[in-house]
Amino acid sequence: MLSILRSLVQEVNGARDLQEALDIIVSRVQNAMGTEVCSVYLLDPASNRYILMATEGLYREAVGQVSLAYSEGLIGLVGSREEPINLEDAPSHPRYRYFPETGEERFRSFLGVPIIHHRRVLGVLVVQQRESSRCFDEGEEAFLVTVSAQLAGVIAHSEATGAISGLSLTGEEAKDVCFSGVPGAPGVAIGQGVVVYPSADLDVVPEKQTDDIDYELAQFGKAVTAVREDIERVASRLAAQLRPEEQALFEVYLRMLGDNALPGEVVNRIREGLWAPGALKQVVQQYIRHFEMMDDHYLRERAVDIRDLGRRLLAHLQEGEQKDVNYPERTVLVSEELTPAMLGEVPKGQLVGLVSVRGSSNSHVAILARAMGVPTVMGLVDIPVNQLDGKELVVDGFDGQIFASPSADLRAVYQEICDEEDELVKGLEALRDKPCETTDGHRVSLLVNTGLMTDVVRSLSHGAEGIGLYRTEVPFMIKDRFPSEQEQREYYREQLEAFAPNPVTMRTLDIGGDKALTYFPIQEENPFLGWRGIRVTLDHPEIFLVQVRAMLKASEGLNNLQIMLPMISNISEVEESLHLIYRVYHEVREEGYEIHMPKVGVMVEVPAAVYQVRELADRVDFLSVGSNDLTQYLLAVDRNNPRVAQLYHSYHPAVLQALVRIAHDAHAVGKPVSICGELAGDPGGAALLMAMGYDALSMNAASLPKVKSVIRSISRSWAIQLLEDVLLLDSPHVIKSCVDLSLRNAGFGRYLRPGRSAAAIAEQAV
Ligand code: PEP
Ligand code: MG
């Protein structure tokens, strides 16, 4: 069964469109189960009806013609109950509904299973049999459920691909095709999609057409020659160390690169009008599918060689291609996985929106996007990325949705929201030099989180009182090797100078988890529980010491440096770090630099630290809560995994209780405590944190004016009452609604989301 399933999934994955995928499914399942009928009904979102999309065994003419209302017939019953229905004599069931067009009356046994993807019923997969004596057994039922679960993602993806190219299930024109992910950075953008992909990843190459076939052929020809030379070079270098049969492997590679093999097929597709990387992708994927379906283990393994060859060819093609990515005036960057480097490649002023398949609202790229004020949607798992290249897109970073090919009405409604948002931001500029103080005189410092120099410029214009978190890994991420001490010193000086004499809190390198350096790869099964933050740098003092030395030298004459340690889970980590910092401090002074010992603080972002706040605070000058990680670790929810993004909730009662406790315990031993997680930049979250007693809130620059406006308009006693009320509640959703409602009643509804809800907009536009 497993091998049938595997080849079925391979074949379906390779289908050109939804119809071909469904035809393959019904014919293979009918064959594998030895049944007389196998059919697929899909739920058409536009009409809310199940449409017979493919069949093997019923009359073919019925395909596309027969449809059932949402709760009609046995199909509707399977869909609404969301479980299999297995009947020996279907016609005697009260919900049986007979369609003469299908010729269904001959069949008595019926087994229907729902096709469900991310809680959404996409359709129903059915097998039928003539004689009633054949009741489908448990094994068959389990097989069909497995097939359906495996194929649900592929069907969702093909459905979305069809919709993007402008067709609904019924073949009618599809407008305002909406995809839902999670909000990454607030705001709305209208622009043109540009699909970018990490180098040498065939899976994410878009299948674009070209107008310059000769150019593509020439590029591909050069890539083949270059790869051939690479392989010959490797082969001759290893010749002395390999046995003849091992050397023969290189011969296989070179044969695959012969004109009549893989390159010949790629050339044919380029001649049909595809650009070279897209043609290469199609041919390589076809070869891989072919090899993977083979029964012979040795031949199956050859798929790996083809993939490798494909990657090598692509890498050479991309070398030539890098220069000419054409970014339109209003670029919406779309990728399987966005990286900070990709953001950096878009010319200044042209990046209006971001869309990423992987990641969620707490991924680092989303944090960067918020800092840069670029509306972003993350975790769009079912989106056919490649189809979005060149398409007009609306990015709704408030609701976490994107719309492809928007109608004029929808565009107009979103344009209105963009204008409202601009107005709001302009209105807040006047607050820049006003203190962040409640109506009853409670003062709280508003700081910014930075990483790039652009953040600094924005922060200053938004009236930040200092930097609460400088993510030093950002300058490390945009290089292709560790930056030298001198380079680091320059980066750090820029940040320190921009804010002097106000404090600038620099966090020591926090790599690992989701923050990867291409030149220092960390491969782990469970990276968020692995080698991360201080654990890496204490194991590599040569990195830590250079960084601290660069920070200290950069602070000369400014004396506004504070150093902060990430991912602390043990007191010994603080003690070891302090020991190293003191050592560098003395060394740098001995070298003649006039520096002061900086304040040192600890991040509270691991549950263990919550329970050792007093012991930690005794050893350092300040604490700062990293609520992004603290939420992830308290709730056991990966902050980057879109599948569980709905469970990641900073308003979870457990998170709020932990935050209350941290503030209380830090103050009990007389140490200041701030917070630098994203919750601080949420107007409701900021009000609660201020009520808990946090001395400073550090957030992305774009959120700062809104938070200041809210805090200046409320009293601390109002916020304390709100905090007391929500601490009595036990559901994160109810807490969030309660906070939102209080803000709305206090006149801050416009900060939660300008304009109407997306649902209302889409409804109006249809
Ligand atoms: C946090 O974890 O809340 C934090 C501020 O650090 P980062 O998001 O960079 O992990
Ligand atoms: Mg963190």
Side-chain angles (χ1 to χ4, degrees):
M1 275 302 174
L2 211 56
S3 68
I4 296 175
L5 256 177
R6 197 178 59 211
S7 68
L8 175 59
V9 171
Q10 296 284 351
E11 267 194 272
V12 172
N13 267 326
R16 271 192 307 267
D17 54 28
L18 179 63
Q19 193 56 55
E20 188 177 312
L22 299 178
D23 288 340
I24 294 171
I25 294 171
V26 291
S27 106
R28 299 297 178 271
V29 171
Q30 185 220 29
N31 203 305
M33 292 183 70
T35 67
E36 284 163 306
V37 176
C38 177
S39 317
V40 179
Y41 296 78
L42 290 189
L43 186 60
D44 176 28
S47 59
N48 207 25
R49 294 180 72 82
Y50 286 99
I51 301 175
L52 175 63
M53 295 294 295
T55 186
E56 205 51 69
L58 299 183
Y59 297 148
R60 287 281 165 84
E61 306 78 70
V63 169
Q65 301 304 317
V66 165
S67 73
L68 297 96
Y70 181 70
S71 49
E72 194 181 352
L74 292 173
I75 302 299
L77 192 61
V78 174
S80 59
R81 289 180 58 93
E82 301 185 356
E83 63 177 351
I85 292 188
N86 189 353
L87 302 170
E88 204 172 321
D89 184 23
S92 65
H93 192 282
R95 289 288 291 272
Y96 178 76
R97 171 97 166 70
Y98 161 62
F99 291 92
E101 310 86 300
T102 60
E104 199 173 18
E105 69 278 14
R106 295 170 285 143
F107 306 106
R108 307 203 76 77
S109 334
F110 170 102
L111 168 60
V113 302
I115 305 168
I116 301 180
H117 185 60
H118 291 306
R119 299 192 180 193
R120 187 164 72 90
V121 176
L122 301 179
V124 176
L125 181 59
V126 181
V127 286
Q128 289 170 286
Q129 191 71 21
R130 196 181 300 248
E131 72 274 26
S132 62
S133 54
R134 171 157 188 203
C135 183
F136 292 101
D137 65 25
E138 273 187 18
E140 288 170 309
E141 190 175 313
F143 175 74
L144 206 61
V145 169
T146 316
V147 170
S148 154
Q150 287 248 7
L151 295 175
V154 187
I155 292 175
H157 193 83
S158 313
E159 227 182 76
T161 309
I164 289 276
S165 26
L167 291 179
S168 72
L169 279 185
T170 46
E172 283 152 28
E173 194 193 345
K175 273 192 303 170
D176 298 339
V177 186
C178 176
F179 296 96
S180 294
V182 288
V188 162
I190 304 172
Q192 192 181 332
V194 175
V195 176
V196 285
Y197 38 92
S199 40
D201 185 351
L202 273 173
D203 292 339
V204 294
V205 167
E207 289 169 28
K208 291 196 284 200
Q209 298 292 316
T210 177
D211 330 314
D212 193 348
I213 292 180
D214 289 341
Y215 172 80
E216 297 297 324
L217 285 173
Q219 292 301 101
F220 183 65
K222 278 191 230 157
V224 173
T225 311
V227 173
R228 214 179 264 145
E229 284 167 8
D230 288 350
I231 292 172
E232 280 164 354
R233 203 175 41 248
V234 175
S236 70
R237 201 182 316 134
L238 295 179
Q241 302 158 39
L242 295 179
R243 293 196 306 269
E245 61 273 26
E246 288 162 347
Q247 280 178 44
L249 277 180
F250 293 109
E251 289 301 315
V252 176
Y253 262 60
L254 290 172
R255 268 204 304 279
M256 287 196 281
L257 282 174
D259 286 344
N260 294 330
L262 188 138
E265 290 188 40
V266 177
V267 164
N268 287 343
R269 290 191 196 221
I270 297 177
R271 291 213 170 101
E272 285 165 17
L274 264 184
W275 74 320
L280 176 69
K281 169 191 177 160
Q282 281 191 357
V283 174
V284 168
Q285 288 189 338
Q286 188 187 322
Y287 269 61
I288 292 175
R289 273 195 302 277
H290 186 68
F291 277 109
E292 281 180 346
M293 278 162 60
M294 292 189 175
D295 289 332
D296 182 285
H297 178 70
Y298 172 80
L299 288 175
R300 240 185 3 246
E301 286 301 305
R302 299 286 59 79
V304 178
D305 299 341
I306 296 279
R307 201 188 307 275
D308 181 41
L309 212 51
R311 247 187 241 130
R312 284 165 187 272
L313 286 165
L314 183 65
H316 281 284
L317 278 176
Q318 287 178 341
E319 265 170 29
E321 175 217 326
Q322 298 288 308
K323 299 158 218 119
D324 36 358
V325 178
N326 206 352
Y327 294 101
E329 252 335 90
R330 303 186 58 74
T331 297
V332 173
L333 218 52
V334 184
S335 183
E336 280 285 330
E337 183 152 35
L338 284 171
T339 63
M342 289 173 180
L343 269 55
E345 271 161 29
V346 184
K348 212 164 167 247
Q350 288 178 225
L351 181 64
V352 297
L354 294 170
V355 175
S356 182
V357 172
R358 299 214 199 118
S360 67
S361 60
N362 280 286
S363 307
H364 280 96
V365 77
I367 292 174
L368 280 182
R370 284 195 285 272
M372 293 163 72
V374 182
T376 300
V377 178
M378 307 287 293
L380 276 152
V381 268
D382 294 327
I383 187 183
V385 174
N386 297 337
Q387 306 284 326
L388 297 181
D389 200 58
K391 289 263 168 7
E392 186 178 22
L393 301 176
V394 170
V395 180
D396 180 343
F398 292 110
D399 281 353
Q401 290 182 318
I402 66 161
F403 295 87
S405 309
S407 59
D409 286 349
L410 189 84
R411 198 185 305 109
V413 175
Y414 269 101
Q415 189 57 53
E416 209 180 294
I417 298 180
C418 289
D419 298 344
E420 268 177 45
E421 181 72 354
D422 288 349
E423 284 287 296
L424 181 65
V425 171
K426 273 198 213 108
L428 293 174
E429 273 166 17
L431 291 182
R432 206 188 87 155
D433 299 318
K434 303 240 165 73
C436 182
E437 195 174 280
T438 58
T439 53
D440 48 359
H442 178 78
R443 187 92 166 71
V444 55
S445 294
L446 292 195
L447 309 172
V448 275
N449 296 344
T450 61
L452 301 166
M453 199 52 204
T454 39
D455 304 335
V456 173
V457 179
R458 285 170 66 91
S459 321
L460 287 169
S461 67
H462 286 56
E465 296 166 61
I467 296 182
L469 165 65
Y470 170 50
R471 290 186 166 94
T472 57
E473 52 283 356
V474 176
F476 279 66
M477 281 154 95
I478 55 183
K479 292 206 84 79
D480 54 8
R481 55 163 172 75
F482 283 112
S484 67
E485 182 186 313
Q486 180 57 27
E487 284 168 334
Q488 290 188 49
R489 200 172 143 184
E490 283 163 23
Y491 291 132
Y492 303 158
R493 182 81 188 178
E494 271 180 344
Q495 304 271 329
L496 291 162
E497 256 174 0
F499 277 90
N502 290 342
V504 169
T505 312
M506 300 203 165
R507 175 171 73 186
T508 61
L509 192 63
D510 184 18
I511 48 168
D514 65 330
K515 281 169 283 193
L517 300 179
T518 44
Y519 50 88
F520 190 66
I522 301 174
Q523 298 292 349
E524 290 181 325
E525 284 280 308
N526 208 342
F528 275 117
L529 298 186
W531 206 40
R532 240 204 103 172
I534 201 74
R535 301 172 184 178
V536 178
T537 47
L538 284 180
D539 286 351
H540 276 279
E542 78 283 16
I543 299 174
F544 189 82
L545 291 168
V546 168
Q547 183 170 41
V548 174
R549 192 168 289 125
M551 288 177 181
L552 289 175
K553 288 184 181 170
S555 74
E556 192 183 29
L558 300 172
N559 303 323
N560 57 342
L561 168 69
Q562 308 199 135
I563 295 181
M564 184 157 81
L565 308 169
M567 277 295 289
I568 294 291
S569 56
N570 278 289
I571 300 293
S572 61
E573 291 161 339
V574 181
E575 289 175 340
E576 280 178 64
S577 306
L578 284 171
H579 170 75
L580 293 175
I581 294 171
Y582 276 117
R583 191 181 115 189
V584 177
Y585 167 69
H586 289 298
E587 284 169 5
V588 172
R589 278 185 69 91
E590 270 164 31
E591 285 175 39
Y593 289 87
E594 296 266 331
I595 52 161
H596 292 207
M597 177 65 194
K599 286 189 176 156
V600 179
V602 157
M603 286 191 79
V604 180
E605 50 183 350
V606 173
V610 176
Y611 296 96
Q612 285 200 294
V613 161
R614 289 168 194 246
E615 293 81 349
L616 291 166
D618 276 341
R619 288 164 171 82
V620 290
D621 303 300
F622 66 93
L623 298 178
S624 182
V625 179
S627 57
N628 305 336
D629 276 315
L630 187 59
T631 304
Q632 132 164 297
Y633 293 123
L634 277 175
L635 305 183
V637 175
D638 178 346
R639 60 195 263 184
N640 283 321
N641 185 342
R643 286 215 183 104
V644 288
Q646 307 305 334
L647 295 174
Y648 184 98
H649 224 301
S650 301
Y651 283 95
H652 192 291
V655 177
L656 296 182
Q657 297 286 356
L659 292 170
V660 168
R661 179 185 175 123
I662 297 166
H664 175 268
D665 286 2
H667 287 155
V669 290
K671 293 288 163 67
V673 60
S674 60
I675 176 158
C676 56
E678 292 300 302
L679 184 61
D682 173 86
L688 294 180
L689 293 163
M690 188 261 295
M692 290 176 196
Y694 281 84
D695 304 292
L697 309 177
S698 191
M699 64 201 71
N700 63 74
S703 305
L704 203 136
K706 291 182 189 171
V707 168
K708 192 189 260 189
S709 166
V710 170
I711 291 187
R712 282 179 54 84
S713 313
I714 58 175
S715 64
R716 180 148 195 250
S717 53
W718 180 89
I720 288 177
Q721 186 57 55
L722 177 62
L723 176 65
E724 281 173 7
D725 291 347
V726 300
L727 286 176
L728 297 173
L729 302 171
D730 54 14
S731 144
H733 301 284
V734 178
I735 294 177
K736 173 86 174 99
S737 309
C738 174
V739 173
D740 283 356
L741 186 67
S742 303
L743 285 184
R744 264 183 229 286
N745 289 343
F748 298 113
R750 65 193 187 286
Y751 293 164
L752 303 175
R753 187 204 198 288
R756 284 141 287 182
S757 78
I761 294 161
E763 219 165 84
Q764 179 191 323
V766 167

